[in-house]
């Protein structure tokens, strides 16, 4: 009954990952770290500074262009409390940065092998 599970075909060795893979991985990890640091700095300034000014612009610039699209989609009609607006801002910009880092990541950019 279970004999088909025990007789596996030998697996081919994993293909070697080249320099391009490592470079894209380093860029993706570096970008994700930059998004995390920028979010932390902007959040700390927003929470602890008396007047944070326009510090949120830095988070938008770090996570652009996808954050601009996300923020444009969040322009909802009507009044919302300031706390809800702040949470939506951080979720939209940080989420856009994480999505962009994932798009840079080599696993998402691999092409499938096509048969001849």
């Amino acid at each position: 009954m279970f004999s088909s599970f025990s007789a596996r075909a030998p697996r081919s060795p994993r293909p070697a990952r080249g320099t391009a893979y490592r470079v894209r991985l380093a860029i993706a990890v570096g970008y994700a770290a930059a998004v995390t640091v920028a979010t932390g700095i902007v959040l700390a300034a927003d929470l602890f500074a008396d007047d944070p000014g326009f510090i949120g612009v830095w988070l938008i610039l770090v996570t652009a262009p996808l954050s601009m699209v996300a923020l444009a989609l969040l322009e909802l009609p009507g009044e919302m409390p300031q706390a809800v607006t702040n949470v939506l801002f951080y979720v939209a910009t940080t989420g856009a940065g994480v999505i962009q880092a994932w798009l840079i990541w080599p696993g998402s950019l691999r092409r499938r092998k096509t048969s001849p």
Side-chain angles (χ1 to χ4, degrees):
M1 175 182 205
F2 295 106
S3 61
S4 63
F5 293 120
S6 63
R8 288 187 174 173
R11 296 175 71 178
S12 61
R14 194 174 194 172
R17 295 191 170 132
T19 305
Y21 178 87
R22 290 186 188 105
V23 168
R24 288 188 303 217
L25 182 63
I27 291 171
V29 169
Y31 180 72
V35 168
T36 304
V37 168
T39 302
I41 290 172
V42 171
L43 184 60
D46 193 22
L47 290 175
F48 300 117
D50 292 334
D51 182 21
F54 289 105
I55 196 162
V57 172
W58 288 105
L59 187 56
I60 295 171
L61 290 176
V62 168
T63 59
L66 197 56
S67 66
M68 293 179 185
V69 173
L71 290 174
L73 292 175
L74 285 178
E75 289 295 324
L76 302 172
E79 288 292 319
M80 287 189 288
Q82 185 65 30
V84 174
T85 305
N86 285 348
V87 168
L88 287 176
F89 171 77
Y90 286 113
V91 168
T93 53
T94 307
V98 169
I99 290 171
Q100 287 178 155
W102 179 76
L103 290 173
I104 296 169
W105 183 58
S108 63
L109 297 177
R110 266 188 296 196
R111 295 183 182 166
R112 291 185 176 188
K113 293 181 181 179
T114 56
S115 59

